[in-house]
Amino acid sequence: MRGALAVMVAASILVLTALVPLSSDSDASEAQSFDTLRIRFDNTSSSSLYVIWDFGDGTVLDGRWERYAGDTSLLTSDQKAMLAEYQSILSAHGGDIDHPVHEYAEAGTYATSVTAINPIGWVDAGGHEYTAENSIDYSSFDGGLFSTSTAKSARGSWDVSQNTITVSGSASGWTDWLPFIIIATGAIVAAVGMRYHPAIMAAGIAVAVMGALCLLGVVDLRGMLK
C-alpha cells in the first residue's frame, strides 16, 4: 500500500504534447486531434527512473534498456542485439527518452501510453523492500526487464498514462523542404538579377518572400501539393 501511494507521488503527471501546443481545456476522455503525423511526446514525471513509450502503431520505446547502455559486459549476445535495437529506435525518435518525437506512417487514431517506473516497492534478492523511507538502490534496479517474477511489487512501482490521439496529414517528404527550396531559388535569381537586370532581382526577391511565407505557415503551398 505504501509503495503504491509513493508511486502516485513519484511518477506524478505524464502528458502528451504535439509540436503545436495542446489546448489546456482539452477533454481527456476524447481523442486528441493533431493536423500532423509528427508528434512530440513529453514525460513530465520528476521521479521516474525508466520510461516506456507505446505509440500505438506497433512501435515501443522501452527505456529500461538505459540501465545497460553503459556496461554491456554481462549481457548475452541476444540482449546486446536488443539493446542496439533500442538505441536505434531511440535515435530515430530524437535521442531523448523523456521527449521522443514519433512520426506515424499514416493518418488514423492511435491508443498510446507512457509508463513510468521507479524502485519504490521493489524487493531485492535478499527480500529487502525499497520504500520512500529507506535507501533506494537505483544502480541494481532493472525495472523488471530481466525479472522472472510476475508480481509488479517485485519489479518496482509502475504508473501508466493512456491517451488516444487522432493524427492527419502526410508523412515527411520533399514537400517539407519546399519552403527552403523556394527561398534558395529566389535568392539565386535575385543575385543573378543584381548583375543583369532589376526586374530579375525583383522577381527573385518575390520568390524568396513566398518561400518565407510558406515557412511561416502564412501560405500553405505544401497543402496544395498533397
Side-chain angles (χ1 to χ4, degrees):
M1 178 68 179
R2 187 168 53 184
L5 177 62
V7 75
M8 292 175 64
V9 177
S12 69
I13 302 172
L14 303 168
V15 300
L16 273 173
T17 63
L19 294 180
V20 293
L22 280 179
S23 171
S24 60
D25 60 353
S26 58
D27 187 349
S29 66
E30 298 180 358
Q32 298 169 338
S33 299
F34 306 102
D35 188 21
T36 175
L37 298 184
R38 192 167 182 263
I39 307 294
R40 168 173 164 156
F41 296 78
D42 289 314
N43 167 33
T44 61
S45 168
S46 60
S47 302
S48 57
L49 181 60
Y50 303 115
V51 180
I52 304 174
W53 296 97
D54 186 336
F55 300 110
D57 61 351
T59 305
V60 176
L61 188 56
D62 193 335
R64 288 176 294 177
W65 283 106
E66 294 288 346
R67 168 66 181 82
Y68 304 95
D71 182 9
T72 61
S73 60
L74 299 179
L75 299 182
T76 66
S77 58
D78 288 342
Q79 290 168 348
K80 288 179 180 179
M82 295 171 70
L83 171 61
E85 181 181 4
Y86 160 74
Q87 292 174 328
S88 176
I89 297 174
L90 179 64
S91 177
H93 286 74
D96 188 342
I97 187 62
D98 285 314
H99 308 285
V101 177
H102 183 67
E103 184 166 337
Y104 291 91
E106 58 185 9
T109 298
Y110 300 91
T112 68
S113 68
V114 55
T115 303
I117 308 173
N118 62 31
I120 297 176
W122 179 58
V123 180
D124 68 8
H128 304 103
E129 180 179 357
Y130 292 98
T131 70
E133 286 74 33
N134 62 17
S135 174
I136 297 177
D137 184 6
Y138 286 90
S139 63
S140 61
F141 177 70
D142 67 5
L145 194 60
F146 301 142
S147 173
T148 58
S149 172
T150 58
K152 286 187 177 181
S153 61
R155 298 182 293 169
S157 297
W158 298 42
D159 190 24
V160 183
S161 177
Q162 298 176 323
N163 298 82
T164 300
I165 63 172
T166 297
V167 297
S168 59
S170 60
S172 295
W174 72 271
T175 57
D176 288 323
W177 294 95
L178 185 59
F180 302 99
I181 295 173
I182 295 175
I183 292 172
T185 302
I188 293 173
V189 172
V192 172
M194 290 178 63
R195 180 179 179 86
Y196 294 103
H197 198 283
I200 298 177
M201 181 179 69
I205 293 174
V207 171
V209 169
M210 177 64 72
L213 292 175
C214 182
L215 183 63
L216 294 173
V218 177
V219 178
D220 187 16
L221 291 179
R222 287 173 292 187
M224 298 176 186
L225 296 175
K226 290 178 182 180

